[in-house]
Amino acid sequence: MIELKNLTKRFDDFTAVDHLNLTINTGEFLGLLGPNGAGKTTTISMLSTVLLPTEGEICIDGIPLTRKASTQKRKLSVVTQEYSMRQDMTVEEVMEYQGRLYYLPKKEIRQKTEELLEFAGLLQFRKRTVRYLSGGMKRKLMICRSLMIEPEILLLDEPTAGMDALARRQMWNLLRKLNNENLTIILTTHFIDEAQALCDRVALVNEGKLDVIDTPGNLIRQLGAFAVDQTSEETLVSKYFQTKEEAILYLSEAEGEVSMRNTTLEDVFIDRVGRGLDAPKSRKKKTEKKKKFSLFQMRGR
């Protein structure tokens, strides 16, 4: 279990994380969501001890986490946003170097390298140098490298940034397999569909403070399972309803271009935080002046 107790980080007059209280259960897949500057990466940096808290503390299984607490630090491994591997090294050299950093026996390094690369679908590329790997393959290699010490907790800071849709899905499958092995995962992401698909719970943070934490399903149900999007001359506005019948009734009486769909976690984010990660809450869009009506086929939940 990980406990963040009044966790605070200040940089001069700026408070990046503001008395954050959060409990993460063993084996949980937790997503940290928030707009740019919300404090997500700063929180990950404190969890990895790269940054030290200004106030508060982090406890793992009841024991405070510090830079000197080697036993506690050994439970953690982190995958950063940036590629942090030498471009002239091969895949297996990257793995070997990681093992040697932690004084693992050569036999154990070879065994773990083969097991982890096979697990991630990279074994056939073991002789390829890093500079010739795709972005998705580099991300997978960074995760394999982080697993060399068999951590109990994996910290992922936007692990699918810059990936295409196929590579993202492959990464999702890898992360699901890892979590099924009872690995605790803490994920920051700018892809809200990623958090909805992967996370047991999501914590929405804004301006360094925790806004809400719950399962994606509960957060969506609290907002309303059905959304009606209404486009006027200048803006797109979404309204949410608990039942399909309520949504259809509103849709049939609404002006402008209207459509109905299932509510998503991104809707929750926009509603609670005030602005989306991929698009503003209101956006200009040219529409015909006459009323349009379209009822989209609802997807099963």
Side-chain angles (χ1 to χ4, degrees), residues 2 10 33 44 54 93 100-101 126 131 146 163 166 173 177 180 185 219 233 239 246 255 268 274 282 287-288 291 295:
I2 307 169
R10 299 189 187 94
L33 298 181
I44 291 292
T54 306
E93 286 173 344
R100 290 172 64 184
L101 283 176
R126 63 192 305 166
R131 67 165 51 91
S146 72
M163 286 188 180
L166 177 59
N173 290 335
K177 287 194 292 184
N180 288 339
I185 299 177
L219 291 172
E233 288 285 341
K239 294 186 179 295
E246 291 174 322
E255 297 293 330
V268 175
S282 298
T287 60
E288 296 180 8
K291 178 179 176 179
L295 177 59

Side-chain angles (χ1 to χ4, degrees), residues 59 71 105 107 134 143 147 189 203 261 273 278 282:
C59 293
T71 301
K107 183 178 180 181
S134 68
I143 289 179
L147 297 174
T189 180
R261 58 180 173 79
V273 177
D278 301 316
S282 298

Side-chain angles (χ1 to χ4, degrees), residues 202-219:
V202 293
L204 299 182
V205 293
N206 194 21
E207 298 181 346
K209 298 180 179 180
L210 178 65
D211 181 74
V212 67
I213 181 169
D214 210 331
T215 67
N218 283 344
L219 291 172

Side-chain angles (χ1 to χ4, degrees), residues 269-288:
F269 181 93
I270 293 171
D271 181 73
R272 296 199 68 105
V273 177
R275 57 189 177 93
L277 297 176
D278 301 316
K281 187 172 183 180
S282 298
R283 62 178 182 268
K284 292 184 179 181
K285 182 177 179 181
K286 293 182 179 180
T287 60
E288 296 180 8

Side-chain angles (χ1 to χ4, degrees), residues 45-68:
S45 296
M46 287 189 284
L47 280 163
S48 63
T49 71
V50 171
L51 293 176
L52 297 177
T54 306
E55 295 179 25
E57 64 177 356
I58 300 168
C59 293
I60 299 177
D61 297 328
I63 301 173
L65 174 66
T66 67
R67 285 180 176 171
K68 295 182 179 180

